[in-house]
Amino acid sequence: MADLQQELERLRQGQRQLEQALASHRQLLDHTGEGILVIQDGRPVFHNQPLLDATGLSAKEFADLDFLALVHPDERERVRLLLETGTPPGPGGGISEFRFQGRQGRLRRVRVRTRPITWLDHPATMVLLSDVTARGQAEEDFRASEERYRSLVENVPYGLCIAELPSTRFLFFNNTAAEMFGYTREEAAVLSIWSVLEPSQVERAKKGIKARLEGQGPETRQIYDGIKKDGSRVRFEVRSSPVLYMGKPAFQAILQDVTEIERLERQVQYAQKMEAVGTLAGGVAHEFNNRLMVIGGYSQLLAQAKDTSPSLANYALKINESVKLASGLTKALLSFSRKEPGVRSPVEMWSLTERLAGILRQTLPRNIEVKVTVEPGLPKIMANPNQMEQVILNLALNSRDAMPEGGSLELGLRLAELGVGFCRDHPWAQPGRYLELSARDTGEGMTPEVLERIFEPFFTTKQPGQGTGLGLAVVYTMVKSHGGYVVSESEAGRGTLMRVLLPVEESPEAAPVSAPREEAPPRPGQGQRILVVDDDKNLREIGRRALEDGGYEIEEADNGQSALEAFRAAREQGRPFALVILDLAMPVMDGRQCLLELRRAEPGCKVLVATGYGKSRLSDEEIASQTMGVLAKPYDLDELASEVARALTTPAP
């Protein structure tokens, strides 16, 4: 009996030790940090606490729950196979990952490793589950960050490249840099810095790289001429600095294609230059007209003097004829500086072109063939017909001068639609429908240097005395005043194509044309008092002498302020002026301000404007409705007498 009790005690002690060992092992398994699941015959037979913690379930809930219900729907089939076979399917052998949702609904990612074991004397599979949610999120964040960086580097509108030293072979070339030089990324991988530089730029680039490596000065903006894969040229800006790339010395650079930017800058500069030249031309024409007025006026006074001999009078008239010829030059200058198209009306450009072509066939040398091609169904355009005639004639004469040995001149008319592509290449243009007038010749053509300057006034390739160089400048100005554009294409020895683009707009009903104004015949004055206002004493003297000889009483003023004072004084004295002849450009107070002040002092006063800027200057100042008319210098003294007589007999505006 005692032996039996000892044996039972020994068994109880062994059981306690076993239970303690099992508890220790259980505690160890519950603190491994990994979920442990034992699968036998396709069913879970053991799980530890970390597995329950991952699912958020109690041991009873886990035992009663279908484990597949926790698995993400997209991955249940894979996990089902795992539970049945104990081996994850697909590449990776015994390692796999899947997603599942615990009680709280939080989506988690677990990494699974499987091991074959013996469980209670039967084969089983031990599944180790590691929560890799944080690692997966970090990897996902890293991939997203890498993708953002790659997208930024590849799609930034700057070329980015890294070249190793000292070979200068490219280690990295982003898409923008590859496209800039016309290569693919794969092709760029075998290029070096010298592969994309023009030979003339290599030595300068070597010196620049050497200076940057030696730390001489800060990073600077350098522009080089490059060569594309197809042999064309590209201008690019470089900002570079030495770096360590993967532990080795290298050179990194930021590139920007400035070919288009520089072209646009040249266009803006050219437009600004043309604007400045136009302003200058207007000022020169004004002063030149004043001088011509002095020469012409005195020559006419000399010819009309009673004591002038017939031969001397004849000389004076010849001088005056030369003045009239010279005034044509100033009219061209004023046309260049003028921004208004003048009076516009619906114009049939095809009819006008055909008519002028007939004239050109009769007047141009017979060895020049004139052809006209017109697209059917063209609309009318709103334009100044006289200026359109000048545009066509000047283009034709320019072509004539380019074909001294003869050739062909083809005038064409067609509708043109300016789209986004054209406006991108020509930023000064606006998209829309245009009537295109083209003039194509088979002449000598022009070099790029000449082509850049053809619209500049006084620029000409002709010999001295053979031309003024104003023809194309006038074409440019007149077309611009109509809201149009001129595009020129030419190569030396291959002729020239001039394209005039005129906007097509809805043509309003033509306004009724007023009957031509009947000029009042010059007749002797009856002592009417006239105030002559001009800052040039010679012009005042010419006007005074001519009008006094015509029977008028004349008083002079040398600026707007003194004219206003004389006008008011004459009214106070009861001897008002019947007419004021007023220059526009004067010191102290200009003619525009003086006119406004005169109209305030006496709304019904009559003012005749005399100006060397031409009639367009009056419309510039928006005062045409307040004057009796315009005398454009240099005017003839007979014209002066006629205009004065008309103004005196016409009601005030």
Side-chain angles (χ1 to χ4, degrees):
M1 189 69 177
D3 293 340
L4 180 60
Q5 289 179 345
Q6 289 178 353
E7 183 64 22
L8 287 174
E9 182 61 29
R10 186 177 64 79
L11 291 174
R12 290 190 190 99
Q13 184 177 1
Q15 184 177 1
R16 286 195 297 270
Q17 290 176 346
L18 178 60
E19 289 176 352
Q20 290 175 355
L22 288 174
S24 298
H25 292 159
R26 181 76 192 199
Q27 186 178 19
L28 181 64
L29 292 174
D30 286 341
H31 289 82
T32 59
E34 285 187 301
I36 299 176
L37 179 67
V38 177
I39 300 173
Q40 192 174 57
D41 297 328
R43 297 179 62 255
V45 295
F46 174 81
H47 57 267
N48 67 347
Q49 188 61 39
L51 183 64
L52 297 178
D53 294 340
T55 61
L57 301 174
S58 66
K60 184 177 186 308
E61 289 172 331
F62 186 83
D64 295 339
L65 182 67
D66 183 1
F67 184 74
L68 289 177
L70 299 175
V71 179
H72 192 279
D74 293 345
E75 298 176 341
R76 283 177 184 169
E77 182 61 22
R78 290 199 305 119
V79 176
R80 184 185 66 78
L81 292 174
L82 170 68
L83 295 177
E84 290 180 354
T85 64
T87 303
I95 300 177
S96 181
E97 289 187 7
F98 66 88
R99 293 167 291 169
F100 76 94
Q101 292 177 315
R103 170 181 285 178
Q104 293 79 14
R106 180 185 175 190
L107 187 66
R108 309 183 71 81
R109 175 169 289 277
V110 294
R111 185 170 183 267
V112 178
R113 291 174 294 161
T114 59
R115 300 281 176 82
I117 62 173
T118 299
W119 184 265
L120 300 178
D121 298 328
H122 293 283
T125 300
M126 182 175 67
V127 181
L128 302 177
L129 298 94
S130 302
D131 189 342
V132 294
T133 306
R135 189 206 66 187
Q137 185 63 45
E139 290 177 349
E140 186 175 335
D141 291 345
F142 177 77
R143 284 192 296 269
S145 175
E146 186 179 46
E147 184 61 31
R148 287 194 298 269
Y149 170 77
R150 182 182 296 108
S151 176
L152 176 65
V153 169
E154 295 298 346
N155 299 307
V156 70
Y158 297 97
L160 302 176
C161 60
I162 299 176
E164 70 176 0
L165 295 175
S167 70
T168 71
R169 182 178 65 84
F170 287 117
L171 301 172
F172 173 77
F173 220 62
N174 74 343
N175 287 334
T176 305
E179 292 172 2
M180 187 184 302
F181 296 102
Y183 292 96
T184 65
R185 291 282 298 277
E186 293 73 19
E187 292 170 333
V190 298
L191 298 178
S192 71
I193 292 176
W194 319 128
S195 304
V196 297
L197 278 178
E198 275 198 346
S200 61
Q201 305 284 299
V202 171
E203 193 60 35
R204 182 165 72 94
K206 287 182 177 179
K207 292 180 180 178
I209 292 175
K210 183 175 183 295
R212 295 292 292 126
L213 291 175
E214 294 175 353
Q216 296 178 5
E219 179 180 342
T220 57
R221 173 180 182 264
Q222 298 289 332
I223 294 181
Y224 290 93
D225 295 317
I227 303 178
K228 293 187 176 183
K229 179 183 176 182
D230 61 6
S232 60
R233 298 297 186 264
V234 60
R235 293 271 291 172
F236 62 94
E237 176 187 310
V238 179
R239 288 184 172 88
S240 59
S241 59
V243 295
L244 283 177
Y245 185 74
M246 300 181 69
K248 296 180 180 180
F251 210 68
Q252 73 176 11
I254 301 175
L255 314 176
Q256 182 180 9
D257 187 342
V258 296
T259 308
E260 185 67 14
I261 294 174
E262 290 188 342
R263 188 178 69 83
L264 296 181
E265 287 176 348
R266 288 195 300 271
Q267 288 184 349
V268 171
Q269 290 168 0
Y270 182 79
Q272 292 173 338
K273 179 174 69 174
M274 295 295 284
E275 184 77 17
V277 170
T279 303
L280 175 63
V284 170
H286 169 262
E287 293 303 318
F288 195 45
N289 277 335
N290 280 345
R291 302 286 70 77
L292 290 176
M293 183 70 231
V294 172
I295 298 171
Y298 279 126
S299 66
Q300 289 181 77
L301 291 176
L302 179 60
Q304 295 170 6
K306 295 179 180 180
D307 55 351
T308 301
S309 66
S311 61
L312 195 58
N314 185 51
Y315 293 152
L317 291 176
K318 288 185 179 298
I319 293 174
N320 194 49
E321 289 175 1
S322 295
V323 167
K324 290 180 180 179
L325 291 174
S327 68
L329 178 61
T330 61
K331 287 180 181 178
L333 281 172
L334 288 170
S335 294
F336 180 75
S337 64
R338 192 176 300 140
K339 292 181 174 59
E340 291 75 30
V343 178
R344 298 195 296 173
S345 60
V347 175
E348 295 179 341
M349 285 296 294
W350 61 93
S351 175
L352 185 148
T353 303
E354 291 279 9
R355 178 172 59 81
L356 290 179
I359 296 174
L360 291 170
R361 291 188 184 102
Q362 297 175 9
T363 56
L364 293 181
R366 293 188 178 278
N367 59 358
I368 295 179
E369 180 185 11
V370 179
K371 297 182 289 186
V372 178
T373 58
V374 178
E375 185 180 88
L378 294 177
K380 296 179 181 180
I381 63 169
M382 293 299 296
N384 182 305
N386 292 330
Q387 291 190 5
M388 290 300 99
E389 288 183 359
Q390 290 185 57
V391 167
I392 295 174
L393 291 174
N394 281 338
L395 290 176
L397 293 177
N398 188 69
S399 293
R400 176 205 64 184
D401 294 339
M403 297 184 290
E405 304 300 326
S408 171
L409 168 62
E410 181 179 352
L411 299 175
L413 284 171
R414 71 180 186 95
L415 268 182
E417 189 78 28
L418 300 190
V420 175
F422 182 92
C423 296
R424 182 179 60 247
D425 295 336
H426 304 84
W428 34 260
Q430 295 293 325
R433 284 204 313 160
Y434 290 79
L435 182 68
E436 179 181 304
L437 164 67
S438 61
R440 184 189 297 273
D441 65 55
T442 58
E444 300 169 343
M446 293 175 277
T447 64
E449 294 75 20
V450 172
L451 195 61
E452 285 188 357
R453 302 187 59 190
I454 57 174
F455 298 123
E456 296 179 13
F458 302 119
F459 173 76
T460 178
T461 57
K462 301 172 185 176
Q463 296 298 319
Q466 294 184 4
T468 62
L470 283 171
L472 291 180
V474 170
V475 168
Y476 175 87
T477 303
M478 289 182 174
V479 173
K480 288 287 287 183
S481 72
H482 282 76
Y485 316 107
V486 184
V487 181
S488 54
E489 302 173 16
S490 185
E491 287 186 43
R494 296 193 176 183
T496 298
L497 171 63
M498 303 294 294
R499 299 169 59 202
V500 172
L501 298 162
L502 299 164
V504 175
E505 52 190 85
E506 294 297 327
S507 302
E509 293 296 325
V513 180
S514 58
R517 185 182 69 190
E518 295 185 2
E519 299 290 339
R523 60 181 180 179
Q526 300 175 2
Q528 296 98 322
R529 283 172 49 77
I530 298 176
L531 177 61
V532 177
V533 187
D534 201 301
D535 61 324
D536 190 310
K537 65 178 182 179
N538 292 321
L539 296 181
R540 295 199 303 272
E541 181 183 4
I542 291 170
R544 178 176 57 77
R545 291 282 300 275
L547 293 174
E548 284 179 345
D549 291 346
Y552 300 101
E553 181 181 339
I554 305 301
E555 189 169 329
E556 300 177 29
D558 60 0
N559 61 65
Q561 183 62 45
S562 59
L564 187 60
E565 293 171 358
F567 185 85
R568 289 169 175 166
R571 290 187 62 202
E572 292 173 359
Q573 296 167 7
R575 302 175 67 243
F577 293 107
L579 180 68
V580 177
I581 301 176
L582 181 65
D583 185 29
L584 286 181
M586 295 182 295
V588 184
M589 179 189 290
D590 65 8
R592 176 184 180 278
Q593 186 63 34
C594 180
L595 172 62
L596 297 177
E597 295 295 336
L598 290 173
R599 297 285 294 178
R600 289 193 187 100
E602 185 179 330
C605 74
K606 295 182 177 183
V607 178
L608 186 63
V609 168
T611 176
Y613 282 109
K615 296 186 179 181
S616 68
R617 179 61 179 263
L618 197 62
S619 61
D620 281 350
E621 307 292 350
E622 299 179 352
I623 55 176
S625 62
Q626 303 186 51
T627 67
M628 301 302 296
V630 181
L631 277 168
K633 300 174 184 176
Y635 50 80
D636 189 273
L637 295 187
D638 291 337
E639 182 186 358
L640 172 64
S642 176
E643 284 296 303
V644 167
R646 184 192 60 78
L648 290 173
T649 57
T650 303

